[in-house]
Structures are given as C-alpha cells and as structure tokens.
Amino acid sequence: MEKRKSMMGNWEQKILKSELTQGKELAQKLMNHLHHSSSSQEGEFLISKLLSSYEKALSVLTRDVGSEGEIKQIQVLDSPCSFGNSSSPLSEISDQDCKNKNVFKKRKPMPKRTEEVKVCSGTGQDGSLDDGYSWRKYGQKDILGAKYPRGYYRCTHRNTQGCLATKQVQKSDADPTIFMVTYTGLHTCHLVAQLNGKQNVSLKQEAGTPRQTPEKSFSFGLRVKTENLDTREEGKKIFPSFSFPPTPIESENNVVEDHVFAAIANDFLGGSYAQTFGSPATFESDYFAAVSPCHFGLVRNDVQTSDSDLTHEILSASTSVANSPIGDFGFSLEDLDFYPFENNPESTFP
DNA sequence: CTCATTTGACCTCA
DNA sequence: TGAGGTCAAATGAG
C-alpha cells in the first residue's frame, strides 16, 4: 500500500506534466488548425481536448490535497464481502432467494463512479450505451429536478456469475445527448474474453450465453477509439470502449492524438497495465491507435463526491456512442490495491 | 419458450 | 417523510 501511495504521487506528477504538455500541444495545433482553416468540427475537437487536458491537470492539483483521506475511505469501503470475492456475490444471490424482505437489510457500500457520455446522434439510446458489458435494465425512476428519468441497470451476469456491477444512466438535462452514467460495484463476471475482444476483433468464445456478447460493438468492423486513458484518476479509470458508426473519417490530427494518448497511457501505466493484456505492444497499437471516425474529445471533469462514493468521474466523448466501462475491468492498479479479493485472475499483478 | 423491458409497489436512508 | 434504489409481476420481443 505504501508502495502504491508513493506511486500515486509520482503518477500525479506525470499526469500533471502530461496533461499540461498535451494542452500546450493541443493549443499549438489548434492555432495551426485555425490558420489553415479546416472543419469546425475538428477545431471543436481540439478545443475539447485542450479543455480536457487543463481540467485533468486542475483536478489532479485539486485532488492532491485530500488524497490521503480518500484512500482511507476507499479502504474502509472495501469490505471483503462486498465485491470482488467470488463467493460473496453468490452469497448475496442466496440472500435474494430469501425474498425481497431480506434484500434491503443493509446496502453494501459499493465503489461508484460517474461518467458523462455524449453520444452520436441517433446511435445510442438510453442505457444501451455499449460499454463492453451487457446490462439488464431493472428499473427506471423519475428523479426530482431532472427532466429525464434515470434508468437502473445491472450486469446480465448477475445471476449466472454473481456479478454485482450496476449502472445508472440518466440523460443530462442540459444536453440530451449526454448521458450521465454512474457505475457501481465491480464486474466479477468473465472479462478476459471481453478484453480480448477489444484488442482483437477476432474473438474467443466467452463463457456465457451467446446473446451476452459484450464485444458486440466491435463485431462489425467499427473502429474503436479508447481515448480515456487518464487512468491517473487513482488508477480507477480504465480504458473505456467507444463505438462509432463506420464512417471512415480519419485525420492526421486524430492519429497524432492517439499517439499522444498512447504515450500518456504508457507513461501513466508504466507498461504494467498493458502487461495485463499480455502484450504491451499489442495493447497499445490495437487499443490506442484505433482512430475514431467521429472525432471525439474527452472532456473529463473529475468530481469529488461528498458521500461515500470513491470517485466520480465525468467523461464526455463528444461523438461517441458508448460509455466507458466501470473501470473495473478488474485489473485497475487501484482496484488491485483496494479490492485485493478480486477474483478475476487477470487482475492480479505480478 | 426464454429473456429483456416496463412499471407500480416496496424498502432504505438522509 | 420524501427521494432514490430495488423488486417482481406483467408484458413484449425474438
């Protein structure tokens, strides 16, 4: 744990540096861009990236103050029986068998994260934002003060694998194309195949029902760009998946952006993340170098929560369809520390 | 037939 | 006590 804490400081420094550097580069690019006049879309993209960089940098600075307490809070929440343990979800399921009277006994604190996802027009529907997991809607609720109802989803594998991950999807009042997605709990369902699927379109057969194919957004030749590489958020942010309509728009800028992101990711992760995938080189090239046909910029604003939430992260992908997964591909660096009982073998670090 | 979604009711918590 | 979260029966889709 001490090791991780010291690493955190180092990380954040790198993050800060990277974000500011990126911001500078983006500003430079933007300036060139404006001079040479191309599409306004691209300009917006650059601006959003620019803003993202500065916001990230600021958030790192802001978070720096209370990071210690934050970690402690996370540790408290990490009750061994809550998630990650293969036996605990099953025990919870057995609780459910005891009819709903027992279900509300006591809610377990779950790690929570919020993301803001902007979708391409006509591509995503509420809750169907493809984040690589298969979700099942179990409820919908009108939220006070919110224009749109909130949808409640849980992992389809809840019953079969005891996966306790849930998410809440709510359309933003201000911008209906933005979905606020709050992820709660960790996926304990099989993820290896999903990850493989994200790296490589040729997928292995995953243990699970055919209809529960989390790779569906990757199965028809979409180019997937996963720009959400700022795992600096206590390492809890794991590369999201974004799916796009197969509109082959590629710009030089995008390619450059990808390189920047890849560099940052590598910087942040020190290669250890990619290690999880078996081949860092493959991971980077396949996962980061993909270019989005829809230019999308991440505008992430990290928001600290006042309650027991571990982290709330807001992400905006200006033209993406899918939101990012819960950061709990199970192998987040932080997850490993915070949730040592994660039974996902892929989550274990050497 | 199986599974997902809808929706009203119920439960917990602040 | 009200808002938010969850359950489960009813319904629909494939």
Side-chain angles (χ1 to χ4, degrees):
Chain A
M1 188 53 85
E2 279 77 34
K3 184 182 170 186
R4 184 180 56 74
K5 281 177 185 173
S6 60
M7 203 164 66
M8 290 273 292
N10 196 18
W11 269 26
E12 294 187 343
Q13 274 191 352
K14 289 185 177 181
I15 292 162
L16 208 51
K17 187 180 171 185
S18 297
E19 292 300 334
L20 291 172
T21 304
Q22 191 188 2
K24 184 184 163 188
E25 290 173 357
L26 288 169
Q28 196 81 50
K29 252 195 284 185
L30 182 59
M31 194 185 287
N32 294 336
H33 182 80
L34 292 176
H35 282 172
H36 296 98
S37 78
S38 28
S39 69
S40 61
Q41 189 186 18
E42 198 161 340
E44 285 177 20
F45 170 71
L46 291 173
I47 290 172
S48 69
K49 299 273 288 185
L50 186 56
L51 288 172
S52 169
S53 288
Y54 283 117
E55 294 209 19
K56 286 173 188 173
L58 286 171
S59 68
V60 168
L61 283 173
T62 311
R63 192 173 45 244
D64 222 355
V65 180
S67 57
E68 188 79 8
E70 202 176 54
I71 291 169
K72 285 175 183 171
Q73 189 180 21
I74 290 167
Q75 288 173 323
V76 168
L77 289 171
D78 181 22
S79 81
C81 62
S82 36
F83 44 77
N85 188 336
S86 60
S87 61
S88 57
L90 295 176
S91 66
E92 172 153 323
I93 286 182
S94 63
D95 283 346
Q96 288 180 345
D97 294 339
C98 304
K99 301 308 166 192
N100 57 348
K101 302 304 173 207
N102 294 336
V103 172
F104 296 100
K105 263 193 277 184
K106 186 167 185 177
R107 282 179 191 159
K108 299 170 186 174
M110 297 289 256
K112 218 191 254 183
R113 60 198 288 109
T114 299
E115 295 175 359
E116 184 177 313
V117 178
K118 193 169 183 176
V119 300
C120 285
S121 58
T123 47
Q125 307 101 352
D126 293 15
S128 66
L129 306 171
D130 192 345
D131 54 10
Y133 292 100
S134 55
W135 300 95
R136 176 173 178 166
K137 191 173 188 178
Y138 66 88
Q140 181 171 307
K141 192 84 176 176
D142 287 323
I143 300 302
L144 196 73
K147 203 186 295 183
Y148 304 99
R150 177 180 298 168
Y152 298 89
Y153 299 81
R154 63 167 57 112
C155 181
T156 312
H157 304 285
R158 184 186 180 91
N159 292 330
T160 57
Q161 298 180 32
C163 181
L164 296 180
T166 62
K167 75 171 180 180
Q168 301 172 0
V169 179
Q170 184 166 18
K171 218 185 265 188
S172 168
D173 286 350
D175 188 348
T177 64
I178 293 178
F179 292 88
M180 304 296 298
V181 183
T182 302
Y183 292 94
T184 307
L186 294 172
H187 279 277
T188 57
C189 52
H190 290 109
L191 298 170
V192 186
Q194 299 173 17
L195 291 171
N196 288 340
K198 286 175 181 178
Q199 283 182 254
N200 193 342
V201 176
S202 63
L203 303 167
K204 296 177 191 167
Q205 180 65 40
E206 189 207 0
T209 61
R211 88 167 50 189
Q212 296 164 347
T213 51
E215 321 73 40
K216 57 182 176 242
S217 58
F218 307 96
S219 59
F220 33 85
L222 296 186
R223 306 215 55 176
V224 179
K225 181 173 183 175
T226 56
E227 277 194 284
N228 192 12
L229 303 179
D230 36 44
T231 52
R232 85 268 175 269
E233 167 62 66
E234 287 102 37
K236 296 190 74 62
K237 187 64 193 172
I238 302 302
F239 314 106
S241 59
F242 292 92
S243 52
F244 303 90
T247 315
I249 304 170
E250 293 186 18
S251 70
E252 295 176 21
N253 287 328
N254 262 347
V255 175
V256 173
E257 292 302 324
D258 289 330
H259 290 325
V260 171
F261 271 100
I264 293 172
N266 198 37
D267 197 19
F268 290 170
L269 300 172
S272 24
Y273 184 86
Q275 211 171 353
T276 313
F277 291 80
S279 167
T282 303
F283 177 73
E284 280 186 16
S285 57
D286 290 357
Y287 209 73
F288 297 128
V291 178
S292 160
C294 281
H295 299 184
F296 76 95
L298 293 177
V299 181
R300 287 189 31 152
N301 312 300
D302 287 8
V303 179
Q304 276 306 314
T305 56
S306 54
D307 57 10
S308 64
D309 293 352
L310 302 185
T311 58
H312 278 203
E313 300 182 8
I314 298 179
L315 174 145
S316 174
S318 60
T319 49
S320 73
V321 174
N323 53 27
S324 69
I326 184 166
D328 55 5
F329 273 128
F331 47 78
S332 156
L333 293 177
E334 242 51 38
D335 285 346
L336 292 174
D337 282 330
F338 296 148
Y339 315 120
F341 299 102
E342 175 64 62
N343 69 333
N344 186 347
E346 305 320 304
S347 67
T348 53
F349 256 68

